[in-house]
Amino acid sequence: MVAIGSGIVTTARLSDIAAQAGVSEATVSRVLNGKAGVSATTRQTVLAALDVLGYERPTRLRQRSAGLIGLIIPELNNPIFPALAQVIEQVLSRHGYTPVLCTQTPGGSTEDELVELLVERGVSGIVFVSGLHADTTADHERYNKLIGRQVPFVMINGYSERIAAPFISPDDRAAMWMAVQHLVELGHTKIGLAIGQRRFVPVLRKVEGFRAAVQELLGLTPEEADGWVHHTLFSVEGGHAAAGVLLDKGCTAIVCGSDMMALGAIRAARQRGLAVPQDVSVVGFDDSPLIAFTEPPLTTIRQPVEAMAIAAVDALLEEVGGNPAQRAEFMFQPELVMRGSTGASVR
């Protein structure tokens, strides 16, 4: 056992902390007992691991927070948003900042109200995830006002050339190309796209990528390609409704704008007595936590969550430190993860 002030950390807990921090148990012991021979970076990594695992820091090792960073996400129902939030919070903690998570809920605080609350609390910066910046119909002047108040911020998902800020995005067009190419290689020629509302930038990009892929790989005209796209809500219910329309059109494969939509599409297929993937193949988007354990395990496009989160925090902290990051979009490549929900076409 290792004594820490008036408390004790057991060997079992030492191994947990070491695994989280990616260092040896001996290194963890040196940090917790204030011994020399550990770099400042490694020491901070171990302390961050303590925080992530929910262990209380010894009194003499507690450091004053470098500042508060606001994190605004649209919801918690879609697993991809908590996943992003968790990684962002971990990275911020490693840098000594305290994350303040704000979630928008129906009937609750609006994005503008949350921003005002964070600014009043004196946050050093804000990370926006899939916020109003991604909505082409929203007034983006709100962000220019935030710049005027000298509050640094960074955006994830939903690029807008009208906002002077760093943007972090997955390549939605490439993602759709990967999905369609995978299904074409399995012999599918009637491929549909179940996607969210047209006003969102990621939706527009996914549709562009899908249209380009089916036109080139299947020889469809632009009008024919549009006929295989159905806009709905980003939810299980939305995916269920869209799948019903696409199955009526004879689709043997459906690409979905989110994993939640894909689960809805699978449910719709089963209600019609169709098997996945024997009768209908389904592809999701995000690779949300636990999605590999669905039945069947979902083939999906994986968002590079960790790389995007790290890039977002790095860009924001450059801004906070007085070194303005490039006012541009940083695009990250997604990955096709093939599992059990896609198979060869039998029609």
Side-chain angles (χ1 to χ4, degrees):
M1 296 186 182
V2 179
I4 310 177
S6 60
I8 291 179
V9 173
T10 67
T11 302
R13 290 183 181 175
L14 272 181
S15 63
D16 292 341
I17 299 167
Q20 178 68 31
V23 299
S24 68
E25 291 183 34
T27 297
V28 174
S29 179
R30 285 197 294 271
V31 171
L32 298 184
N33 287 292
K35 299 292 181 63
V38 182
S39 70
T41 300
T42 300
R43 188 178 302 276
Q44 185 58 47
T45 299
V46 171
L47 293 177
L50 273 176
D51 298 337
V52 169
L53 293 173
Y55 296 147
E56 187 175 356
R57 290 190 186 190
T59 303
R60 58 186 173 78
L61 292 180
R62 293 175 193 166
Q63 299 177 351
R64 186 172 182 175
S65 172
L68 303 176
I69 298 292
L71 172 57
I72 301 179
I73 64 175
E75 58 171 304
L76 292 175
N77 292 335
N78 188 331
I80 192 62
F81 294 128
L84 264 170
Q86 182 176 30
V87 179
I88 291 170
E89 290 179 338
Q90 289 175 356
V91 178
L92 284 171
S93 295
R94 291 192 199 113
H95 287 279
Y97 286 86
T98 301
V100 181
L101 178 63
C102 298
T103 306
Q104 299 178 65
T105 54
S109 298
T110 65
E111 181 179 303
D112 291 337
E113 290 169 342
L114 292 173
V115 168
E116 196 60 36
L117 176 66
L118 291 171
V119 173
E120 288 176 358
R121 295 293 186 276
V123 294
S124 300
I126 301 175
V127 180
F128 292 91
V129 179
S130 299
L132 291 172
H133 63 277
D135 189 336
T136 59
T137 65
D139 181 5
H140 290 175
E141 183 59 28
R142 55 175 43 88
Y143 301 111
N144 293 327
K145 292 178 180 177
L146 195 56
I147 293 172
R149 299 172 75 175
Q150 298 184 322
V151 179
F153 58 88
V154 63
M155 310 292 206
I156 297 180
N157 283 336
Y159 175 70
S160 172
E161 61 184 13
R162 294 177 288 167
I163 303 172
F167 282 82
I168 309 297
S169 307
D171 191 335
D172 290 301
R173 298 182 184 91
M176 292 298 100
W177 187 279
M178 291 177 189
V180 172
Q181 184 174 43
H182 169 60
L183 293 169
V184 169
E185 289 173 351
L186 290 173
H188 294 276
T189 58
K190 295 182 178 180
I191 303 170
L193 174 63
I195 194 70
Q197 298 101 313
R198 289 180 177 84
R199 68 178 190 271
F200 296 114
V201 172
V203 169
L204 295 174
R205 289 179 168 184
K206 286 182 175 71
V207 171
E208 288 174 8
F210 176 83
R211 291 181 64 198
V214 295
Q215 286 178 60
E216 181 166 334
L217 299 176
L218 295 176
L220 302 186
T221 65
E223 293 74 19
E224 289 171 333
D226 286 341
W228 295 111
V229 177
H230 188 80
H231 292 272
T232 180
L233 301 177
F234 275 117
S235 64
V236 172
E237 294 76 17
H240 184 279
V245 174
L246 294 170
L247 290 171
D248 284 342
K249 293 184 177 183
C251 285
T252 63
I254 300 173
V255 181
C256 299
S258 74
D259 290 338
M260 295 299 97
M261 295 182 75
L263 296 181
I266 291 173
R267 187 173 71 183
R270 285 175 172 164
Q271 286 181 351
R272 292 174 177 233
L274 302 174
V276 177
Q278 291 83 356
D279 300 311
V280 181
S281 288
V282 177
V283 179
F285 185 92
D286 285 334
D287 197 27
S288 312
L290 303 180
I291 210 68
F293 304 101
T294 58
E295 180 53 43
L298 186 65
T299 294
T300 189
I301 302 294
R302 175 181 294 159
Q303 282 203 59
V305 169
E306 185 169 355
M308 290 170 59
I310 291 172
V313 172
D314 286 347
L316 181 63
L317 296 188
E318 284 292 313
E319 298 271 335
V320 171
N323 304 307
Q326 186 176 359
R327 302 299 198 271
E329 182 177 28
F330 300 88
M331 194 87 75
F332 289 76
Q333 286 302 304
E335 175 188 357
L336 174 67
V337 182
M338 291 179 283
R339 298 193 181 105
S341 65
T342 51
S345 173
V346 294
R347 288 190 274 166

